[in-house]
Amino acid sequence: MTAGTVRLGTASPGTRPTTAETLTQLEHITRRAASKKIDILLLPEAYIGGYPRGTHFGCVIGARSEEGRNEYLRYFQSAVDLGDTVGDGAGAGAAWVNRELPSDSVPGLDGGEDASNISNKRGDGTREELERIARETKVFIVTGLIEKTGGSMYCSVVYTGTERLVWAQGSPATLRAVSTIIRGVRINLAAAICWENYMPLVRQALYAQNINLYLAPTADGRDSWLSFLRTAAIEGRCFVLSSNMCVRNTPTPNGHAAISSKSQQSDGTGGASQGDASPPARAGTHHRRSSCVTEEGFEIALPSPPAPPTSSHPRARRQSVLDDDGNEIVLHASDDSPKPITTTTTTTTTSPAAPLTKPAHPSPTPTFTSRGGSSIVSPFGEVLAGPQWEDDAGLIYADVDFADCIRGRLDLDTAGSYSRNDSFKFSVQGLDLAPLPYS
């Protein structure tokens, strides 16, 4: 590394079955990051606590199921308790940061001890464990987690984002950027989670605070996510760091995808081909399988087409499956459905007017529930590392010069000279938008 540069890093690990196992994995990843001299490490949305992909908690319009409520209970119990309060959705703020909140110990349950005499005994210890790992490794850790406080859960990093079904609404006050100095360089960083990043006013709230590092942990594994990252980098003239879980689709008895316990570790490096969002080729195969990719980036393997029908074996009804967007994917081509769709290795056909049928045999299971896609992008939209596809063990990183953010302001400053603040006034309830300094 050269003087004045900072090493940004990210990875795509999946959540482990328990919080303790996930924290152990987080520590292992962070210590590897420290060995690579990574200064700031971003880990995925909901990494601690788990992202409930594919779960509906028994909810349909007008009804809830008992099984779904029990599933929600298990998810709530797996969320972490950082010892914060609900407040207006922004938590206790500085009082929590400075450990000024009263203890949550219950008198009479611990030997009759008065809770007011027990300092900082709040939460389940996750906060203290994360602080210990960061302190020992000297790595600035930003990780997504599912936090519970009161009777609600929040999808959190340093700041709180929201999903509308199961996670509670956070306060916009938590979009406050923070400032730190690493290797003599001032870094103003802020985070928004997943599709909150698609909200233009959320992004403007971050840009207005003069950030030079935009953190975007996500659960979006589509190729189009990289386009957003490049847009945000150019808009904000800031480095953008994104992390998404890579989850292997290993079926378990309860039907959910299990997380791989892959032990082999591999490292990525910066300088990946820019904008290449294609998954890596699989080694050891003799021929490429026929498959197609959904809009979410999931590959669905297709069986070989059947032999042409004969008089003794008339043509059967076509077999198909539906992807998450409700699009039909035909498993056996038929002559009466001539409209082609592009696949990775072959062409199959579909006819939207024909009735949908379930396949007689289950379709092949996708290799990955989530393919990852963690990336690092420069203030000029250049992809410095990633996307990290189908790799739940590696680290990707890039050495960056934060002076590039100033260089980029020569011709674009969306919160300053380009904002037309003589005509447009922007404010956020409860959030101080005063820009942070660069020095």
Side-chain angles (χ1 to χ4, degrees):
M1 295 178 61
T2 59
T5 63
V6 175
R7 181 164 289 181
L8 305 178
T10 185
S12 304
T15 303
R16 305 302 299 167
T18 67
T19 297
E21 291 176 81
T22 302
L23 287 171
T24 297
Q25 179 177 255
L26 182 148
E27 180 171 7
H28 179 67
I29 294 169
T30 305
R31 291 192 180 280
R32 289 178 55 224
S35 72
K36 304 294 184 184
K37 302 188 183 305
I38 290 173
D39 298 302
I40 300 177
L41 175 67
L42 176 67
L43 295 172
E45 174 186 8
Y47 173 50
I48 303 174
Y51 187 89
R53 188 182 303 277
T55 300
H56 52 75
F57 297 105
C59 295
V60 297
I61 300 299
R64 306 287 185 267
S65 72
E66 186 66 23
E67 181 182 358
R69 293 189 186 281
N70 288 332
E71 188 174 13
Y72 178 82
L73 171 63
R74 292 190 294 271
Y75 189 47
F76 186 91
Q77 292 171 334
S78 69
V80 300
D81 181 359
L82 299 180
D84 204 353
T85 62
V86 176
D88 59 357
W96 178 82
V97 172
N98 298 326
R99 299 181 185 278
E100 296 170 350
L101 295 174
S103 168
D104 61 358
S105 176
V106 180
L109 296 183
D110 50 3
E113 219 169 353
D114 183 357
S116 62
N117 296 326
I118 305 174
S119 62
N120 303 328
K121 190 175 181 181
R122 296 185 65 88
D124 60 12
T126 298
R127 171 184 178 173
E128 290 73 17
E129 183 68 0
L130 291 172
E131 291 172 344
R132 177 190 67 80
I133 295 169
R135 183 172 57 250
E136 292 181 0
T137 62
K138 304 296 189 288
V139 174
F140 194 110
I141 304 169
V142 182
T143 183
L145 53 82
I146 302 302
E147 174 188 4
K148 60 186 174 188
T149 183
S152 297
M153 288 183 287
Y154 297 84
C155 185
S156 306
V157 282
V158 177
Y159 307 94
T160 299
T162 63
E163 294 282 354
R164 302 303 195 263
L165 172 63
V166 62
W167 298 323
Q169 179 83 5
S171 167
T174 59
L175 289 171
R176 181 61 182 161
V178 297
S179 190
T180 188
I181 297 178
I182 295 178
R183 298 185 183 276
V185 177
R186 180 179 288 275
I187 302 174
N188 301 331
L189 65 159
I193 301 174
C194 206
W195 278 19
E196 296 300 317
N197 290 284
Y198 282 140
M199 301 300 293
L201 297 184
V202 169
R203 298 201 303 274
Q204 184 66 12
L206 304 187
Y207 302 151
Q209 297 175 74
N210 203 30
I211 62 170
N212 53 10
L213 179 58
Y214 189 124
L215 303 170
T218 187
D220 192 329
R222 299 177 301 171
D223 292 350
S224 58
W225 183 251
L226 182 63
S227 301
F228 155 71
L229 300 179
R230 300 181 74 178
T231 296
I234 294 170
E235 279 184 343
R237 289 301 198 230
C238 53
F239 288 96
V240 176
L241 192 56
S242 183
S243 182
N244 183 31
M245 291 188 205
C246 174
V247 180
R248 295 176 181 274
N249 193 5
T250 304
T252 62
N254 64 6
H256 294 288
I259 307 300
S260 168
S261 59
K262 177 180 178 182
S263 59
Q264 180 180 357
Q265 304 294 328
S266 62
D267 291 310
T269 60
S273 58
Q274 300 174 16
D276 181 7
S278 301
R282 295 176 176 82
T285 56
H286 298 290
H287 58 83
R288 297 197 59 175
R289 66 185 177 189
S290 172
S291 63
C292 65
V293 179
T294 70
E295 289 186 0
E296 286 73 21
F298 303 146
E299 182 182 7
I300 299 179
L302 306 178
S304 300
T310 64
S311 57
S312 60
H313 295 85
R315 181 184 292 113
R317 285 180 65 113
R318 70 180 184 187
Q319 298 175 356
S320 61
V321 294
L322 298 179
D323 67 17
D324 291 342
D325 293 321
N327 301 315
E328 184 186 10
I329 299 173
V330 177
L331 303 183
H332 295 269
S334 62
D335 294 340
D336 61 350
S337 51
K339 299 179 181 179
I341 60 173
T342 302
T343 68
T344 56
T345 58
T346 188
T347 300
T348 187
T349 57
T350 184
S351 174
L356 304 182
T357 60
K358 294 183 179 180
H361 303 287
S363 60
T365 303
T367 304
F368 290 87
T369 301
S370 175
R371 296 172 57 235
S374 301
S375 305
I376 304 172
V377 183
S378 83
F380 300 100
E382 177 187 5
V383 180
L384 303 178
Q388 186 187 27
W389 296 119
E390 301 184 7
D391 176 7
D392 57 2
L395 284 166
I396 62 172
Y397 52 87
D399 298 336
V400 304
D401 180 1
F402 276 88
D404 282 346
C405 300
I406 296 293
R407 295 183 180 103
R409 298 294 176 91
L410 168 67
D411 49 6
L412 181 63
D413 184 357
T414 53
S417 61
Y418 250 66
S419 69
R420 286 303 304 271
N421 53 22
D422 59 327
S423 301
F424 302 101
K425 303 299 180 185
F426 183 61
S427 63
V428 180
Q429 186 70 32
L431 180 62
D432 179 8
L433 292 180
L436 294 169
Y438 270 161
S439 60

